[in-house]
Amino acid sequence: MNLEDALNNRNHSNNKPAQTATAPSRSSDEYRPVDISIAGTPHRVVCPVNEVANLEAGADYINQKIRDLRREIKNKNPSNEEFLVLVSLELYDQVRALQAQVSAATEERRQIHALIEKINRDARTML
């Protein structure tokens, strides 16, 4: 589930669980409101039933990042909003690093496939 889906479902639900069809449906089609707290602020997010644990784990992860930052910053008393900005920037750095790793792995895989193709062509010409 992405943020846009969560916000759309939240806006359409009026904080009520989404109604499910009378026909049997897959669990990914069923939504429910989930109460989470980030930086001490409660939020209700409507998400697919099969994503509830992931949503809660995400909230826990963000809260842990905020606690870690609070321990690191000793001489200042940033607001929750400032902590959320710092966590967002840190997460952005992590995403960029992962994207770079994926890009490098993709390029390496392309080079490996090109080398295998060359080896196969050379082997066929020798036979």
Side-chain angles (χ1 to χ4, degrees), residues 3 10 14-15 18 20 29 31 37 40 42 53 67 82 84 91 98 107 114 117 122 126:
L3 180 58
R10 180 178 182 212
N14 294 326
N15 292 334
T20 56
D29 292 338
Y31 293 83
S37 177
R67 284 190 293 275
E82 291 169 319
L84 290 173
L91 292 174
L98 289 171
E107 176 59 22
E117 285 299 316
D122 290 348
M126 292 179 171

Side-chain angles (χ1 to χ4, degrees), residues 5-59:
D5 290 341
L7 292 175
N8 285 336
N9 289 327
R10 180 178 182 212
N11 290 338
H12 294 304
S13 72
N14 294 326
N15 292 334
K16 296 178 188 171
Q19 295 178 355
T20 56
T22 55
S25 61
R26 297 183 318 242
S27 64
S28 65
D29 292 338
E30 297 173 16
Y31 293 83
R32 76 169 207 177
V34 179
D35 294 319
I36 59 172
S37 177
I38 295 178
T41 304
H43 302 277
R44 177 167 282 194
V45 180
V46 175
C47 75
V49 171
N50 62 342
E51 290 287 332
V52 170
N54 194 35
L55 176 66
E56 292 170 337

Side-chain angles (χ1 to χ4, degrees), residues 41-113:
T41 304
H43 302 277
R44 177 167 282 194
V45 180
V46 175
C47 75
V49 171
N50 62 342
E51 290 287 332
V52 170
N54 194 35
L55 176 66
E56 292 170 337
D60 290 343
Y61 182 82
I62 291 169
N63 285 322
Q64 184 59 50
K65 287 285 189 187
I66 291 170
R67 284 190 293 275
D68 293 345
L69 283 171
R70 281 188 201 279
R71 280 192 293 272
E72 290 176 24
I73 301 173
K74 298 184 190 237
N75 298 331
K76 295 185 179 180
N77 191 14
S79 68
N80 280 343
E81 184 175 295
E82 291 169 319
F83 276 119
L84 290 173
V85 168
L86 292 172
V87 168
S88 296
L89 292 171
E90 184 177 331
L91 292 174
Y92 173 76
D93 284 343
Q94 291 176 4
V95 167
R96 294 289 296 173
L98 289 171
Q99 287 173 332
Q101 289 175 2
V102 167
S103 180
T106 300
E107 176 59 22
E108 185 176 321
R109 192 171 24 254
R110 186 195 64 75
Q111 291 174 355
I112 289 169
H113 287 304

